[in-house]
Amino acid sequence: MAETRTPDANRRSERSRRAIYDAALALVTEVGYTRTTIEGIAARAGVGKQTIYRWWPSKAAVLLEAFLDLVAAAEPANPADPAATTGPAEAAFPDTGDLEADLKTVLRASVDQLTDPRYEGPTRALTAAGIVDERVGAEFLVKLLDPGLRLYGERLRSAQATGDADPSIDPRIATELFVGPLLHRWLLRTLPLTHDYTDRLVEYALHGLRPRG
């Protein structure tokens, strides 16, 4: 008599979870945050909406977790990406001893991720939602933005300790000199987002706008 196998509940749950992640990211990219619903995610994932509510309290929670999972699976990872970072404690900003080169490396990687279709749609949707929904914006800041911004700050403090950066600067404000213009150009699509652009951002921020002697 053939052995009857008991269904693996954990494996089934993981399949459902991944289907929900995929459905949530696809929907928010296609129709935006406002028109994405738990019902729509459930239908696309092929699960009951009760399954989603059992695991997450809201669509914002589903989308943020799905996006964190997407970024965590990215290869190669860019732990200091200002708009798409998992914020792991073990992540590290490159520190080769050359601050300018390290900043250029990270910002180039940010350009690559922000312009990758896998990330661009969900990132834009969540960013837009965070602007109009204070609760979503707070979650977006804590889970996605702050961890990456802290890594910039740590690298700048390291540069201060080695004499490569002015010890009187505020690392958070200095970080915004790099990240702010990048996100402004990306979010508003004012001009193309390129490696050459972010290289110049670093040079302007580090060397200033005055003529060099």
Side-chain angles (χ1 to χ4, degrees):
M1 182 176 178
E3 180 183 355
T4 301
R5 295 187 177 181
T6 301
D8 187 332
N10 289 334
R11 183 178 300 174
R12 185 169 62 248
S13 293
E14 181 59 23
R15 282 200 302 268
S16 296
R17 186 179 296 273
R18 300 228 66 82
I20 291 165
Y21 284 168
D22 292 344
L25 292 173
L27 271 179
V28 80
T29 299
E30 292 171 11
V31 304
Y33 180 83
T34 302
R35 295 176 61 193
T36 297
T37 63
I38 292 292
E39 290 77 9
I41 294 171
R44 187 153 184 159
V47 301
K49 66 179 182 179
Q50 297 83 0
T51 298
I52 296 179
Y53 282 121
R54 187 166 64 246
W55 290 338
W56 297 280
S58 65
K59 72 175 181 181
V62 180
L63 288 163
L64 284 168
E65 187 173 310
F67 191 69
L68 287 169
D69 178 78
L70 175 68
V71 174
E75 291 294 338
N78 175 21
D81 189 328
T85 182
T86 59
E90 69 274 16
F93 199 107
D95 189 346
T96 64
D98 184 334
L99 178 61
E100 182 171 331
D102 293 343
L103 288 166
K104 286 180 177 180
T105 295
V106 169
L107 286 170
R108 282 178 170 228
S110 295
V111 167
D112 292 342
Q113 196 161 50
L114 287 170
T115 55
D116 185 325
R118 292 175 297 169
Y119 309 107
E120 184 171 14
T123 306
R124 286 189 181 280
L126 287 169
T127 302
I131 292 171
V132 297
D133 186 321
E134 185 176 349
R135 183 177 56 82
V136 174
E139 283 197 75
F140 190 84
L141 176 65
V142 170
K143 294 182 179 179
L144 294 172
L145 288 179
D146 266 351
L149 295 176
R150 283 196 297 271
L151 293 176
Y152 276 90
E154 290 169 9
R155 180 64 185 90
L156 290 169
R157 279 189 287 274
S158 173
Q160 288 175 311
T162 58
D164 294 321
D166 186 334
S168 69
I169 66 167
D170 181 326
R172 181 60 181 244
I173 294 175
T175 293
E176 292 174 358
L177 295 176
F178 307 110
V179 174
L182 170 71
L183 292 180
H184 177 273
R185 180 174 285 208
W186 171 77
L187 188 61
L188 300 182
R189 296 187 174 99
T190 55
L191 288 168
L193 198 62
T194 65
H195 290 172
D196 179 66
Y197 168 68
T198 53
D199 284 354
R200 292 190 182 207
L201 275 184
V202 172
E203 291 163 9
Y204 289 177
L206 291 181
H207 306 299
L209 303 180
R210 292 175 180 168
R212 300 184 196 178

